């Protein structure tokens, strides 16, 4: 994640105001008690707490741990509300809302189209769904790449 978020640069800043190794926005950093957004150790600790908080949200709804990782990563990237919206859309249109690939991910992509972000089940509006969709893919690709270089 740190590679994807900041290329391991503790001074990285995004166009959206996210900062540090895990690219936390100031509000999230404050929520998880990170005082110095440039402190790598504190940043990772706050980021892990945030990931745990997201994982706790999805744990009962997405029992499969590998599937849940995808929901957690996407939620970290774009916000929990947008992923909840994609799940609602998936449910409404007959998809499998506990499966990321080809189901919830597809509805997240559709949240950039008016007929979906204006749907009555959507509470968080428009979403540039391609970004979190790619984010999840790239993190899993990087993980597989790392596995080629380490013994587990």
């Amino acid at each position: 994640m740190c590679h994807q978020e900041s290329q391991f640069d503790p001074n990285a800043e995004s166009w959206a105001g996210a900062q540090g190794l895990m690219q936390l926005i100031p509000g999230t950093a404050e929520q998880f008690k990170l005082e110095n957004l440039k402190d790598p150790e504190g940043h990772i600790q706050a980021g892990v707490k945030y990931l745990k908080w997201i994982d706790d949200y999805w744990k009962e709804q997405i029992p499969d741990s590998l599937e849940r990782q995808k929901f957690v990563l996407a939620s970290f990237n774009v916000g929990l509300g947008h992923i909840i919206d994609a799940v609602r859309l998936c449910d409404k249109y007959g998809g499998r809302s506990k499966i990321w690939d080809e189901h919830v991910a597809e509805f997240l992509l559709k949240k950039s189209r008016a007929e979906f972000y204006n749907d009555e089940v959507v509470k968080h509006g428009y979403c540039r769904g391609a970004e979190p969709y790619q984010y999840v893919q790239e993190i899993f690709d990087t993980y597989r790449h790392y596995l080629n270089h380490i013994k587990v």
Side-chain angles (χ1 to χ4, degrees), residues 11-116:
N11 298 309
E13 293 187 31
S14 79
W15 62 269
Q19 299 178 37
L21 286 175
M22 295 188 73
Q23 290 292 282
L24 298 175
I25 59 172
T28 301
E30 183 179 336
Q31 179 182 354
F32 292 95
K33 312 293 188 237
L34 176 61
E35 294 177 15
N36 178 359
L37 284 163
K38 304 294 184 192
D39 171 30
E41 184 178 340
H43 215 278
I44 290 172
Q45 289 173 354
V48 168
K49 287 177 189 173
Y50 182 38
L51 286 166
K52 169 116 176 59
W53 179 83
I54 297 169
D55 187 66
D56 286 345
Y57 175 85
W58 289 116
K59 195 168 281 189
E60 298 220 3
Q61 297 172 61
I62 314 295
D64 181 271
S65 63
L66 182 59
E67 284 301 317
R68 190 170 61 249
Q69 286 175 23
K70 297 172 185 179
F71 283 75
V72 169
L73 289 170
S75 298
F76 183 94
N77 179 259
V78 75
L80 185 59
H82 287 299
I83 306 308
I84 293 169
D85 282 348
V87 167
R88 288 186 189 125
L89 286 165
C90 192
D91 281 337
K92 179 177 179 174
Y93 292 98
R96 295 175 61 198
S97 61
K98 295 182 184 332
I99 305 295
W100 179 256
D101 295 318
E102 299 177 13
H103 292 276
V104 174
E106 297 305 316
F107 284 97
L108 182 61
L109 286 169
K110 291 177 180 181
K111 277 198 69 190
S112 65
R113 297 182 2 213
E115 69 259 36
F116 290 97

